[in-house]
């Protein structure tokens, strides 16, 4: 049976006329299984039943619907368990399903170019297109990288040609896919040359290594590797964030050396046989993290060694002597959401802004005390930065401004 109260609250929410108490009531109604079909229909109506020229594409509408439906069907999902429980103001932490509903309204607002009322009269008054409130909106990052050959030459992969690679046969660049591939060549005799793939801020790239293993580089990352694997181990070095899918080879284990940029101690070493895992080692983050999706990996830092199982994450505090390696249970799909083209936020605002800063190549500064503000939610990395910031802003208590490629984060409480 249809609940008219749910209809009314939903319309009031989308028209920005809802009170705080009514919003809480709406969110409670969303969580009831018997209301699922009704709320799905309301959202579908809001997304699709618009007769203006600013219509959403079916792809965008389906993406929004899927995000909302999956979120409301899985309340209270915890994507991350911290090493130590921190004191967080619960009034500042929005559950994922609430955040995604807000995100849907934001996407509609920005894509439509205006705010449409749920007026049920046959005629709708024209609504003027609304410009972004941000002075310097920035488009999302994309497939950008540079390649440094063994002879020291560095090429932009957006403009490199096969002529540039004549000295290194077996290397192919697919600019449309953002992918570099090395044929399976076994080196003999002379020492195998190394290449370095680097992504800038706002860049990402994929590489197929000589053994068929694959690696995806997030923004501001690097991977050093041989053009052919020889000897007893397959050794690579990385910085930033890289997701690996390794081809099994028990006779030649795959090893990743991860540099700790904050200390002169030993690097972190990851040893695998065949597995899927993600490593994050940005210099501006407090920890280096290794997250296992499939298989098994051994994490070593100084004299401490831990073995991970799928769904676990190893954390090493950077810049300090290692006494232990913390092992936490996490949602690995959330950790590698960046590879699938999504932001999945679940943390404090500074952590979130570091991700945004790297992907959009923007500086960030803060006004007021924002330390206790935490958020959880998901949004496409294909959106302009204004759409991402607006989604965060509408959760309350925080405001953003973009000027001269700098985001200002302001506490409004």
């Amino acid at each position: 049976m249809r609940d008219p109260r749910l209809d009314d609250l939903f319309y009031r929410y989308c028209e920005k006329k809802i009170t705080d108490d009514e919003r809480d009531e709406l969110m409670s109604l969303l969580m009831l299984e018997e209301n699922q079909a009704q709320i799905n229909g309301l959202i579908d109506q809001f997304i699709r039943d618009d007769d203006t020229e600013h219509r959403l594409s079916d792809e965008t509408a389906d993406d929004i619907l899927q995000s909302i439906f999956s979120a409301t069907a899985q309340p209270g999902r915890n994507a991350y368990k911290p090493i130590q429980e921190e004191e967080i103001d619960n009034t500042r932490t929005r559950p994922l399903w609430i955040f995604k509903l807000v995100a849907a309204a934001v996407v509609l607002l920005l894509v439509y170019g205006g705010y449409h009322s749920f007026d049920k009269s046959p005629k709708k008054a024209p609504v003027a297109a609304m410009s972004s409130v941000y002075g310097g909106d920035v488009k999302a990052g994309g497939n950008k990288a540079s390649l440094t050959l063994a002879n020291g030459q560095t090429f932009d992969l957006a403009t490199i040609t096969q002529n540039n690679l004549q000295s290194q046969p077996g290397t192919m660049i697919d600019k449309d896919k953002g992918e570099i591939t090395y044929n399976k060549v076994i080196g003999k005799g002379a020492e195998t040359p190394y290449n370095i793939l680097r992504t800038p801020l706002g860049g990402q790239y994929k590489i197929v290594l000589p053994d068929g293993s694959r690696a995806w580089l997030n923004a501001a990352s690097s991977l050093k590797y041989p053009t052919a694997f020889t000897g007893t181990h397959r050794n690579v070095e990385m910085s930033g964030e890289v997701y690996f899918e390794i081809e099994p080879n028990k006779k030649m284990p795959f090893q990743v050396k991860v540099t700790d940029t904050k200390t002169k101690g030993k690097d972190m070493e990851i040893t695998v046989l065949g597995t899927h895992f993600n490593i994050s080692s940005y210099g501006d983050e407090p920890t280096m993290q290794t997250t296992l999706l499939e298989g098994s990996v051994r994490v070593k830092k100084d004299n401490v060694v831990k073995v991970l199982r799928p769904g676990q994450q190893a954390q090493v505090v950077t810049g300090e002597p290692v006494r232990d390696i913390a092992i936490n249970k996490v949602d690995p799909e959330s950790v590698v959401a960046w590879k699938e083209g999504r932001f999945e936020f679940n943390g404090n605002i500074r952590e979130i802004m570091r991700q945004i800063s790297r992907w959009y190549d923007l500086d960030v500064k803060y006004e007021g005390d924002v330390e206790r503000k935490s958020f959880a939610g998901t949004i496409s990395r294909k959106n302009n930065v204004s759409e991402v910031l607006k989604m965060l802003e509408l959760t309350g208590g925080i405001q953003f401004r973009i000027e001269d490629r700098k985001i200002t984060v302001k506490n409004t409480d």
Side-chain angles (χ1 to χ4, degrees):
M1 183 175 178
R2 192 172 188 88
D3 185 348
R5 179 60 174 169
L6 178 55
D7 284 356
D8 180 61
L9 290 173
F10 184 83
Y11 296 148
R12 292 176 63 80
Y13 175 85
C14 292
E15 292 172 341
K16 294 187 176 181
K17 295 179 180 179
I18 198 167
T19 66
D20 290 342
D21 289 342
E22 288 172 334
R23 183 184 292 107
D24 291 341
E25 183 182 355
L26 172 62
M27 296 310 168
S28 297
L29 290 172
L30 289 178
M31 298 309 299
L32 298 177
E33 185 176 354
E34 59 264 31
N35 290 334
Q36 188 68 55
Q38 184 175 344
I39 191 63
N40 288 2
L42 287 168
I43 296 170
D44 185 76
Q45 176 186 347
F46 184 43
I47 292 175
R48 302 181 189 279
D49 293 350
D50 180 75
D51 58 8
T52 70
E53 61 181 356
H54 302 288
R55 290 189 58 80
L56 288 171
S57 68
D58 287 342
E59 181 181 359
T60 302
D62 289 339
D63 183 62
I64 295 170
L65 285 170
Q66 183 178 2
S67 176
I68 297 170
F69 298 166
S70 62
T72 53
Q74 300 177 29
R77 180 173 68 92
N78 248 335
Y80 173 73
K81 180 181 179 182
I83 300 175
Q84 295 180 344
E85 293 295 333
E86 297 179 356
E87 182 180 354
I88 297 177
D89 183 354
N90 289 330
T91 63
R92 298 290 172 226
T93 305
R94 272 63 176 183
L96 181 62
W97 55 276
I98 294 178
F99 196 81
K100 286 186 176 180
L101 187 62
V102 175
V106 174
V107 174
L108 289 169
L109 171 65
L110 293 172
V111 176
Y112 273 46
Y115 204 83
H116 302 286
S117 168
F118 273 88
D119 185 356
K120 297 182 180 180
S121 59
K123 297 181 180 180
K124 294 183 181 180
V127 180
M130 186 175 70
S131 301
S132 170
V133 297
Y134 303 102
D137 200 4
V138 176
K139 292 182 178 180
N143 294 327
K144 292 181 262 184
S146 65
L147 178 66
T148 301
L149 305 181
N151 61 12
Q153 286 184 294
T154 297
F155 298 96
D156 183 342
L157 292 187
T159 58
I160 194 173
T161 66
Q162 288 303 129
N163 289 334
N164 300 135
L165 297 172
Q166 287 182 349
S167 63
Q168 189 172 280
T171 306
M172 300 294 295
I173 310 293
D174 189 324
K175 298 176 185 178
D176 293 332
K177 291 183 179 179
E179 179 178 300
I180 180 171
T181 303
Y182 290 79
N183 291 335
K184 296 182 179 180
V185 178
I186 304 299
K188 294 181 180 180
E191 183 178 350
T192 303
Y194 273 74
N195 285 180
I196 303 176
L197 180 65
R198 294 186 178 92
T199 53
L201 292 168
Q204 62 182 17
Y205 225 78
K206 178 185 176 183
I207 177 173
V208 181
L209 293 164
D211 65 336
S213 296
R214 295 166 297 282
W216 287 257
L217 279 68
N218 203 349
S221 302
S222 70
L223 185 67
K224 182 179 179 180
Y225 51 91
T227 57
F229 288 118
T230 60
T232 59
H233 290 81
R234 294 171 286 170
N235 295 319
V236 301
E237 300 177 23
M238 63 149 288
S239 65
E241 185 167 23
V242 182
Y243 170 75
F244 293 92
E245 293 184 352
I246 304 304
E247 287 294 313
N249 186 342
K250 293 183 179 180
K251 295 181 179 180
M252 189 182 290
F254 195 95
Q255 292 188 332
V256 184
K257 184 167 76 172
V258 188
T259 303
D260 186 344
T261 59
K262 296 182 181 179
T263 181
K264 295 181 180 179
K266 294 182 179 179
D267 298 321
M268 185 168 71
E269 295 180 357
I270 314 297
T271 304
V272 305
L273 292 175
T275 191
H276 298 180
F277 60 101
N278 189 84
I279 303 175
S280 177
S281 63
Y282 287 112
D284 59 353
E285 296 289 351
T287 62
M288 295 189 291
Q289 303 172 353
T290 302
T291 307
L292 182 64
L293 284 78
E294 296 180 16
S296 178
V297 299
R298 184 183 68 194
V299 180
K300 180 181 180 181
K301 183 69 164 69
D302 296 340
N303 294 321
V304 182
V305 178
K306 291 289 180 71
V307 176
L308 295 184
R309 297 191 299 271
Q312 292 184 331
Q313 181 182 88
Q315 292 193 354
V316 175
V317 177
T318 56
E320 298 180 6
V322 175
R323 297 183 179 86
D324 194 14
I325 297 176
I327 305 296
N328 300 311
K329 185 173 178 59
V330 299
D331 175 3
E333 297 300 330
S334 177
V335 173
V336 300
W338 65 268
K339 172 183 167 288
E340 305 302 327
R342 304 189 314 276
F343 287 113
E344 287 223 5
F345 300 136
N346 197 334
N348 65 62
I349 190 62
R350 288 183 181 270
E351 176 186 332
I352 290 169
M353 292 311 299
R354 288 196 292 270
Q355 296 181 53
I356 292 173
S357 172
R358 286 191 287 264
W359 185 235
Y360 294 97
D361 189 10
L362 294 169
D363 294 327
V364 180
K365 71 174 184 177
Y366 299 89
E367 293 182 2
D369 182 12
V370 299
E371 300 300 329
R372 295 172 64 83
K373 296 188 179 299
S374 297
F375 303 88
T378 183
I379 190 170
S380 172
R381 296 211 320 171
K382 296 179 182 179
N383 289 324
N384 285 6
V385 69
S386 63
E387 299 176 55
V388 179
L389 298 179
K390 189 66 177 178
M391 185 180 72
L392 291 168
E393 189 175 277
L394 287 190
T395 62
I398 203 161
Q399 194 172 49
F400 300 95
R401 183 173 65 252
I402 306 176
E403 294 176 325
D404 300 325
R405 299 198 66 82
K406 179 179 290 185
I407 303 173
T408 299
V409 184
K410 183 178 181 180
N411 180 7
T412 59
D413 288 337

